[in-house]
Amino acid sequence: MKGKKLIDPSDLTTTEIEDLIKLANQIIQNEEKYSKCCENKLLATLFYEPSTRTRFSFEAAMLRLGGKVIGFSEPNSSSVAKGESISDTIQTVCCYADIIAMRHPKEGSAYVAANASTVSFINAGDGGHFHPTQTLTDLLTISNLKGRLDNLVIGLCGDLKFGRTVHSLIKAMSRYQNITFIFISPEELQVPDYIKKEVLEKNKLKYDESTNLEEVISKLDILYMTRVQKERFFNESDYIRLKDMFILDLEKLKNAKKDLTILHPLPRVNEISTEIDDDPRAAYFKQAKFGMYIRMALILKFLGIEVD
Amino acid sequence: MLKVTSIDKGLVIDHIPQGEGIKIFHFLNLDKVKYRVALLMNVPSEKMGWKDIIKIENEISMNLDILSIINDKITINIIEAGKIIKKYHPAIPKVINQIKCKNPRCVTSVENIQNQFNLINKKTKEYSCQYCEEIIKLNTL
């Protein structure tokens, strides 16, 4: 995987994903062993839109591997404010860094950046499009908490139209055997046609759509909740009307399976009631920690660093 | 009857569905060129009932296969020394660069990069943006 560029989850084969999950678990078991293996290596985090979690987890991952980090967390503090193109910014950063992680609000920006990059490149989210490292996080979480990545009924709830984590997860899980999706969202925020046509229908995957979380929750092995993001709406009244429609609370959870796994890419606003945080089925904070470990594995693999 | 003289060198785009000729005329920027162009509208046709024709007294460097999104029965005649030397119907192009992505969240809306749409379904003439994967169905220019 040395020198690889990651735009969307399908850039990695299922074997490569297995290797990453295996390495992440080795790191979890013996973190100390990996704590100096990226000395003299530099990660650039280019964040064109705000993100605490993803940027922190990338930076924490590199620092815990003994490497260093440069970058910006909002474009106004860089040449981007002067109108520099993505391609020029990337080509310049390639002169300094060994690996780049970029988040950008526009869909397809990762493809532009990856083409311009001469070093390993990781898409840390391109608008409502893809977010492959969140997907790897989800896969590591599901694999570790469920013990498998196949034979699962996965419910995705909330903003399924603009939620990039959802699109990436659907694409990734579509490669495993006997996966059924249940999409739970208001009609305005349903999974886009290109995902239905290009991923679901093309791969003959089973899926169902619902506007009622309570009605379908008993069927689920995994419930993946998402935030209805304000920044994805063109007007505030639509946001206010839709944001509270799909809130998970103990009442809705009463018909759920005992071994349901509740995931959320975080940050949450109010779509998961805090009363659920102590329920053993709530796995979203574990998921956030898995996110750092899978990024550590990804950085090591993409830099071609092997630890005996 | 209105008569338009034949051309010596250039091309004739024939069998254009009625009303689509003006769109092709603007798409090819024929209102800005310095050579002779004739746009014939509402021409009686045995096969089509009515059709449009465009005669262009010059070579066109653009790949005209994109015209197939209107109708793949359109005929392109290449004229040399007053004679038709090649006649063909435009084939559905696998890649289209001449149209812009309409997704306001697509990176092509802010970066100075060439648009690219890739054919995903020949039958329905559906294309996907190389960048944001927005699907568009093309049946007119």
Side-chain angles (χ1 to χ4, degrees):
Chain A
M1 284 188 242
K2 189 180 178 185
K4 205 171 166 84
K5 293 163 186 177
L6 178 61
I7 300 168
D8 85 60
S10 57
D11 291 333
L12 296 170
T13 63
T14 48
T15 310
E16 286 173 326
I17 289 172
E18 275 171 33
D19 287 348
L20 283 165
I21 289 175
K22 193 175 158 194
L23 178 57
N25 281 323
Q26 285 166 353
I27 297 169
I28 291 168
Q29 280 155 24
N30 190 356
E31 211 182 313
E32 180 63 28
K33 186 176 153 189
Y34 296 86
S35 63
K36 287 180 183 161
C37 58
C38 278
E39 277 180 346
N40 304 317
K41 295 290 181 190
L42 202 53
L43 164 74
T45 52
L46 313 181
F47 277 65
Y48 288 76
E49 68 173 3
S51 157
T52 314
R53 203 162 316 267
T54 307
R55 186 168 61 84
F56 278 3
S57 76
F58 265 110
E59 294 182 358
M62 190 53 162
L63 294 171
R64 281 175 180 266
L65 291 168
K68 292 186 172 62
V69 179
I70 54 169
F72 54 82
S73 55
E74 48 107 17
N76 291 337
S77 60
S78 74
S79 293
V80 176
K82 298 173 192 165
E84 187 174 54
S85 68
I86 293 172
S87 177
D88 283 4
T89 302
I90 293 289
Q91 287 182 76
T92 309
V93 173
C94 284
C95 300
Y96 316 130
D98 302 293
I99 182 166
I100 296 171
M102 183 187 90
R103 167 168 290 188
H104 194 286
K106 291 291 177 183
E107 297 171 15
S109 52
Y111 178 77
V112 176
N115 278 340
S117 181
T118 53
V119 299
S120 277
F121 174 86
I122 301 168
N123 176 14
D126 59 338
H129 199 207
F130 290 122
H131 193 357
T133 58
Q134 181 64 50
T135 306
L136 290 172
T137 301
D138 301 339
L139 295 181
L140 175 64
T141 310
I142 294 169
S143 168
N144 280 17
L145 299 182
K146 287 291 184 205
R148 65 186 190 277
L149 288 170
D150 50 14
N151 297 301
L152 293 164
V153 179
I154 305 172
L156 297 142
C157 180
D159 173 6
L160 309 185
K161 184 178 183 182
F162 299 109
R164 61 186 148 209
T165 55
V166 169
H167 304 165
S168 290
L169 184 61
I170 294 168
K171 210 167 177 178
M173 291 307 295
S174 69
R175 299 195 292 182
Y176 296 95
Q177 292 293 312
N178 197 23
I179 297 294
T180 302
F181 291 106
I182 299 180
F183 302 127
I184 309 138
S185 71
E187 280 175 16
E188 292 89 336
L189 296 175
Q190 281 180 349
V191 172
D193 283 347
Y194 77 85
I195 296 282
K196 286 182 190 167
K197 284 186 182 172
E198 283 297 284
V199 184
L200 299 166
E201 286 160 25
K202 210 176 199 174
N203 295 309
K204 297 188 172 67
L205 280 163
K206 290 174 276 181
Y207 72 92
D208 216 342
E209 290 183 297
S210 171
T211 53
N212 190 329
L213 174 58
E214 218 164 349
E215 268 178 23
V216 295
I217 200 164
S218 63
K219 299 176 188 170
L220 308 177
D221 298 312
I222 291 165
L223 173 57
Y224 197 97
M225 296 294 296
T226 63
R227 180 167 56 106
V228 176
Q229 295 182 75
K230 192 175 181 179
E231 61 266 33
R232 302 288 172 221
F233 285 86
F234 288 115
N235 72 65
E236 198 161 349
S237 60
D238 279 353
Y239 169 71
I240 291 166
R241 185 170 57 83
L242 294 168
K243 75 182 171 77
D244 294 338
M245 283 175 73
F246 296 83
I247 294 172
L248 181 65
D249 53 25
L250 283 174
E251 179 62 24
K252 288 196 185 80
L253 204 57
K254 72 178 182 208
N255 292 326
K257 287 182 184 173
K258 292 275 175 282
D259 65 343
L260 173 74
T261 300
I262 304 164
L263 302 178
H264 189 299
L266 301 178
R268 75 172 151 188
V269 180
N270 61 350
E271 58 277 9
I272 299 179
S273 166
T274 51
E275 65 191 15
I276 286 175
D277 292 358
D278 295 330
D279 190 292
R281 291 170 286 191
Y284 27 92
F285 291 113
K286 284 182 199 158
Q287 187 185 359
K289 190 153 190 179
F290 282 131
M292 182 187 71
Y293 289 120
I294 199 74
R295 287 180 178 95
M296 289 170 82
L298 196 60
I299 290 168
L300 282 180
K301 289 278 186 191
F302 277 24
L303 289 175
I305 294 169
E306 291 194 16
V307 181
D308 294 329
Chain B
M1 188 180 175
L2 176 70
K3 288 213 168 181
V4 177
T5 57
S6 57
I7 58 171
D8 191 48
K9 183 180 169 63
L11 67 137
V12 176
I13 306 172
D14 200 356
H15 304 118
I16 302 168
Q18 186 185 22
E20 296 288 338
I22 188 86
K23 293 179 192 168
I24 296 176
F25 184 85
H26 287 299
F27 181 75
L28 298 175
N29 289 319
L30 295 174
D31 53 333
K32 297 182 181 75
V33 298
K34 299 278 188 235
Y35 43 81
R36 288 201 295 175
V37 176
L39 165 60
L40 302 159
M41 297 170 74
N42 307 334
V43 180
S45 161
E46 275 184 29
K47 278 189 206 163
M48 302 170 68
W50 299 94
K51 67 177 181 179
D52 294 350
I53 302 172
I54 297 174
K55 293 188 173 193
I56 304 164
E57 204 168 53
N58 202 46
E59 288 175 13
I60 296 270
S61 57
M62 184 193 286
N63 184 340
L64 295 174
D65 277 344
I66 193 171
L67 302 186
S68 65
I69 66 171
I70 295 175
N71 189 322
D72 54 13
K73 301 279 189 301
I74 287 174
T75 312
I76 296 164
N77 301 286
I78 310 291
I79 315 286
E80 288 275 2
K83 288 182 179 163
I84 297 172
I85 59 152
K86 191 181 172 191
K87 190 178 214 174
Y88 67 97
H89 298 298
I92 301 266
K94 287 185 176 156
V95 175
I96 291 178
N97 303 111
Q98 298 99 324
I99 51 171
K100 286 192 167 182
C101 185
K102 287 182 180 163
N103 175 6
R105 293 175 295 276
C106 180
V107 68
T108 56
S109 68
V110 290
E111 291 274 314
N112 185 22
I113 40 182
Q114 192 180 39
N115 278 271
Q116 183 177 323
F117 283 90
N118 304 315
L119 182 65
I120 54 166
N121 190 329
K122 202 173 173 180
K123 204 173 165 188
T124 56
K125 296 177 186 174
E126 282 177 303
Y127 285 81
S128 165
C129 174
Q130 173 68 48
Y131 299 93
C132 69
E133 297 184 272
E134 177 92 347
I135 293 176
I136 53 162
K137 205 172 191 173
L138 292 176
N139 47 28
T140 187
L141 290 172

